Amino acid sequence: MPTRSPSRTRAAVARSLPDLAAALAGRGDVALVPTMGALHDGHRALLRAARAAAPTVVMSLFVNPAQFGPGEDFARYPRDEGADVAIAEDEGADVVFAPDVATMYPPGFATTVDPGPLGDQLEGQARPGHFRGVATVVTRLFGLVRPQSAFFGDKDYQQLIIVRSAARDLALGVEVAGVPTVRDADGLALSSRNRYLSPAEREQATALPAALMTAGELYAAGERDGSRLTAAARARLPFEPDYLELRRRADLGAYDPADPAILLVAARIGTTRLIDNIPVEDA
Ligand code: AMP
């Protein structure tokens, strides 16, 4: 349980659209933090960044069925609304929007947002339709909450780029900001899914950040050959990744040694699919 600060103010928990409208009435600029709950320190970092950006912070709490494929972990995804609301309050959220599925997808809901070719690459190749589900729910959240800014983790970098593109292409009037990945002491990126890992799997999972760091160090030392960089990272993995790719950082286009780059990895460890990435930089 998070420590509750005595001065913490209560957040309004809105479940319906009228409740949300009432909770937002008369407020100024809003910063939105979309989440699926099971909050950890990564989510706290997003809430803090939002708190610094706008007088009103709204956190959404919705496990979005549209972004899970058949056979994925929608049914067993961890849910603990009481703990999540306490954390949101602890980080100064003013409103927690926690709709049910029928509120987000009422009868007759028919429109989806297609994120374009990037939606079928990297994560999208392993998870067909995932980014359509993400782009659709985030666009609807933007329409309901009307934020001026929204905060997403660099941890899910492809999601960040896709949401930022959707906001720009569809002129949604939201500035989409990325927040650096929060990691455990052993380097593993915090994720709600880490709780699925057995101790042995968790130990194995630390190979992901270690492999990324290896390539990052080579890059910092001047290596710019994409195949050599990815081969060095791959050699550190005791398992076969789903993908391990170097891409252009700005838009996840093809790697170009002249542009800032990012290395992205995904792997299945036991039954748990984990993703991670690091920006590669000059020393
Ligand atoms: P989720 O609840 O998993 O959908 O994540 C909600 C938001 O938190 C997304 O924008 C994620 O990218 C972000 N997030 C998840 N894990 C981390 C982390 N370790 N560091 C920073 N942001 C994160």
Side-chain angles (χ1 to χ4, degrees):
M1 279 295 286
T3 46
R4 282 171 173 258
S5 89
S7 60
R8 193 180 66 201
T9 52
R10 298 211 77 82
V13 178
R15 297 180 191 288
S16 67
L17 302 190
D19 283 357
L20 177 66
L24 292 175
R27 293 183 182 268
D29 278 8
V30 171
L32 173 67
V33 178
T35 81
M36 298 203 300
L39 302 185
H40 49 64
D41 284 354
H43 300 103
R44 281 184 184 265
L46 267 54
L47 288 164
R48 266 176 233 154
R51 181 74 280 166
T56 297
V57 173
V58 177
M59 185 187 88
S60 61
L61 187 53
F62 180 62
V63 185
N64 174 30
Q67 69 190 71
F68 289 78
E72 291 188 356
D73 57 344
F74 175 69
R76 69 167 181 147
Y77 197 83
R79 291 166 171 88
D80 186 349
E81 188 185 299
D84 291 341
V85 170
I87 289 175
E89 288 182 339
D90 198 44
E91 297 298 345
D94 301 286
V95 180
V96 175
F97 178 45
D100 62 14
V101 172
T103 299
M104 285 306 278
Y105 301 110
F109 187 99
T111 305
T112 58
V113 178
D114 180 344
L118 182 57
D120 298 325
Q121 300 169 27
L122 300 166
E123 277 305 281
Q125 195 164 20
R127 307 183 69 188
H130 169 68
F131 286 116
R132 176 193 303 261
V134 169
T136 301
V137 80
V138 169
T139 301
R140 180 160 165 83
L141 285 170
F142 286 175
L144 293 171
V145 176
R146 304 278 160 151
Q148 281 64 46
S149 58
F151 291 80
F152 290 82
D154 287 350
K155 153 82 169 35
D156 300 281
Y157 193 76
Q158 190 177 3
Q159 168 172 279
L160 168 66
I161 295 298
I162 281 174
V163 169
R164 186 177 279 154
S165 303
R168 183 197 60 214
D169 296 348
L170 304 177
L172 302 178
V174 185
E175 193 198 322
V176 174
V179 175
T181 302
V182 178
R183 298 178 180 280
D184 258 332
D186 60 6
L188 188 64
L190 297 186
S191 164
S192 306
R193 291 189 166 101
N194 290 353
R195 65 185 73 187
Y196 301 150
L197 299 169
S198 71
E201 289 169 346
R202 206 205 134 85
E203 173 75 30
Q204 267 209 320
T206 60
L208 291 171
L212 295 175
M213 294 268 295
T214 296
E217 282 158 16
L218 273 178
Y219 188 98
E223 179 64 79
R224 291 292 180 274
D225 183 282
S227 325
R228 279 204 288 270
L229 288 162
T230 49
R234 208 170 264 264
R236 291 292 305 269
L237 292 177
F239 43 78
E240 191 57 30
D242 267 12
Y243 60 80
L244 192 155
E245 286 194 37
L246 201 53
R247 295 276 181 123
R248 181 162 56 217
R249 204 185 304 163
D251 56 4
L252 292 179
Y255 170 66
D256 182 329
D259 296 329
I262 186 163
L263 183 61
L264 306 104
V265 68
R268 188 171 289 279
I269 298 180
T271 58
T272 308
R273 196 153 181 290
L274 297 179
I275 59 173
D276 200 354
N277 67 77
I278 53 160
V280 288
E281 315 273 9
D282 281 322

